[in-house]
């Protein structure tokens, strides 16, 4: 079994027992560097984030194949916290970075990663889609945003986060907190009416966030098709609170199959200026609003 180590900086890394160390020439492939990060090599992570765009994501079909996990998250956390990090875009979609909500221990990898993010001064776009970070991981990221002033777009699509996370992000976006974030994607998570109302209260005093992707749960009907249950139900009152919290905020929601346009599984509702301005289905713009949040 060989273990690669990066030597441009004169550093040898890796376990010492039963491992053959191989010095790198600097011509290693992306996959080789990614494997090093997965195994916890900080030096490999430093190399990866020295590029303006660092994409360590896994395709959906390969999500179960060697995710970055806790070791990878820890290595990246240290790397992005260093001045040598030049990455403007960091994509970690589908990598279970941090270990996932059922990992050993659940979500702990996000603690060191978030600490690095708090110190980072280069990353503008952070994509953590489909990582199962849960509320614990989301809380750590939200806390990091209270210090970080560089991230402009944070993508947390499909991460099994709920009301606790919504409140944490609300706290981070209040006056005196983060004023750099421009786009927050919380779509396809389990944030309910209480979490939505809490987020709305915070956004009412925030002037920096411009775009909120909030296709979260199935609205208007507490009986969710597909057996997910009413935990993600968003009532009309919460929707109005969120859509009217900031007149200039660009927000999208989604409705369930019962309310969708004929022949479509769901429908995205686009709010601007606190009003429903159009509905968009999977076939494109469906024209004037056909659903109201009343």
């Amino acid at each position: 079994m060989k273990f690669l180590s990066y030597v441009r900086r004169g550093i040898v890394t890796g376990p010492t027992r039963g491992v053959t160390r191989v010095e790198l020439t600097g011509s290693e492939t992306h996959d080789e560097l990614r494997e090093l990060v997965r195994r916890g090599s900080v030096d490999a992570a430093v190399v990866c984030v020295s590029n303006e765009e660092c994409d360590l994501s896994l395709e959906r079909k390969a999500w179960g194949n060697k995710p970055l996990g806790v070791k990878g998250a820890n290595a990246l956390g240290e790397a992005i916290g260093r001045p040598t990090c030049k990455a403007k875009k960091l994509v970690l979609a589908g990598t279970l970075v941090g270990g996932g909500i059922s990992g050993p221990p659940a979500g702990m990898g996000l603690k060191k990663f978030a600490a690095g993010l708090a110190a980072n001064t280069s990353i503008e776009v952070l994509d953590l889609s489909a990582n199962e970070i849960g509320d614990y991981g989301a809380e750590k990221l939200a806390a990091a945003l209270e210090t970080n002033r560089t991230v402009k777009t944070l993508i947390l699509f499909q991460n099994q986060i709920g009301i606790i996370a919504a409140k944490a992000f609300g706290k981070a976006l209040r006056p005196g907190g983060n004023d750099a974030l421009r786009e927050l994607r919380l779509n396809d998570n389990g944030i309910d009416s209480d979490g939505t109302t809490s987020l709305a209260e915070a956004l009412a005093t925030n002037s920096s966030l411009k775009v909120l992707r909030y296709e979260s749960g199935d609205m208007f009907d507490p009986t969710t098709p597909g057996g997910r249950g009413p935990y993600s139900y968003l009532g009309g009152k919460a929707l109005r609170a969120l859509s009217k919290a900031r007149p200039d905020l660009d927000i999208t929601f989604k409705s369930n199959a019962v309310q969708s346009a004929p022949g479509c599984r769901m429908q995205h509702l686009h709010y601007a200026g606190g009003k429903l301005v159009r509905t968009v289905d999977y076939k494109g713009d469906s024209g004037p609003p056909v659903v109201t949040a009343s």
Side-chain angles (χ1 to χ4, degrees):
M1 176 180 174
K2 294 183 177 181
F3 188 89
L4 304 179
S5 57
Y6 196 74
V7 296
R8 284 184 188 174
R9 297 169 59 243
I11 297 176
V12 178
T13 64
T16 59
R17 294 183 181 179
V19 175
T20 301
R21 296 180 180 178
V22 178
E23 294 185 350
L24 293 186
T25 63
S27 61
E28 285 62 41
T29 67
H30 176 272
D31 287 343
E32 288 173 327
L33 287 172
R34 188 186 182 287
E35 171 65 10
L36 277 173
V37 175
R38 184 186 74 83
R39 293 166 61 179
S41 170
V42 173
D43 296 298
V46 167
V47 174
C48 289
V49 299
S50 65
N51 298 318
E52 286 197 1
E53 184 165 339
C54 176
D55 188 345
L56 298 175
S57 60
L58 280 173
E59 295 182 4
R60 181 179 292 269
K61 62 182 180 181
W63 281 358
N65 181 27
K66 296 183 178 180
L68 293 179
V70 175
K71 289 182 179 180
N74 289 343
L76 284 167
E78 185 167 340
I80 64 176
R82 294 183 179 184
T84 52
C85 179
K86 305 299 180 183
K88 291 186 177 181
K89 183 176 183 180
L90 178 58
V91 183
L92 302 174
T95 60
L96 291 185
V97 65
I101 59 172
S102 59
M108 286 301 292
L110 268 298
K111 185 175 182 179
K112 288 187 177 180
F113 181 86
L117 182 64
N120 180 269
T121 57
S122 67
I123 298 173
E124 297 179 0
V125 178
L126 177 59
D127 185 349
L128 292 171
S129 301
N131 273 292
E132 296 183 12
I133 66 173
D135 280 333
Y136 177 88
E139 279 189 291
K140 296 301 179 185
L141 291 173
L145 289 180
E146 294 185 38
T147 302
N148 180 283
R149 292 295 184 272
T150 308
V151 175
K152 293 182 173 63
T153 300
L154 178 60
I155 304 172
L156 294 174
F157 162 77
Q158 203 174 75
N159 266 294
Q160 301 184 36
I161 59 181
I163 182 173
I164 296 175
K167 290 182 176 180
F169 281 111
K171 179 176 180 292
L173 293 170
R174 288 184 184 278
N178 185 285
D179 57 4
L181 195 65
R182 297 294 181 266
E183 181 171 349
L184 177 60
R185 301 187 192 180
L186 294 172
N187 42 322
D188 209 3
N189 285 291
I191 303 173
D192 62 7
S193 289
D194 290 340
T196 300
T197 301
S198 179
L199 185 61
E201 292 172 354
L203 289 177
T205 59
N206 173 279
S207 61
S208 59
L209 193 70
K210 301 302 180 184
V211 178
L212 179 63
R213 293 293 170 250
Y214 206 73
E215 297 92 336
S216 180
D218 291 306
M219 305 182 302
F220 310 117
D221 187 349
T223 304
T224 303
R228 287 187 294 165
Y231 74 94
S232 58
Y233 168 56
L234 301 179
K237 182 178 180 180
L239 292 176
R240 287 195 299 273
L242 187 56
S243 64
K244 295 179 179 180
R246 283 263 313 283
D248 62 326
L249 195 60
D250 182 336
I251 314 174
T252 56
F253 301 111
K254 78 177 180 186
S255 66
N256 62 26
V258 176
Q259 298 284 355
S260 296
C264 298
R265 193 180 73 176
M266 69 178 65
Q267 185 177 55
H268 294 264
L269 312 179
H270 182 189
Y271 280 78
K275 297 180 179 180
L276 180 62
V277 294
R278 66 185 173 103
T279 62
V280 181
D281 58 35
Y282 284 137
K283 296 180 181 179
D285 195 337
S286 61
V290 296
V291 180
T292 59
S294 60

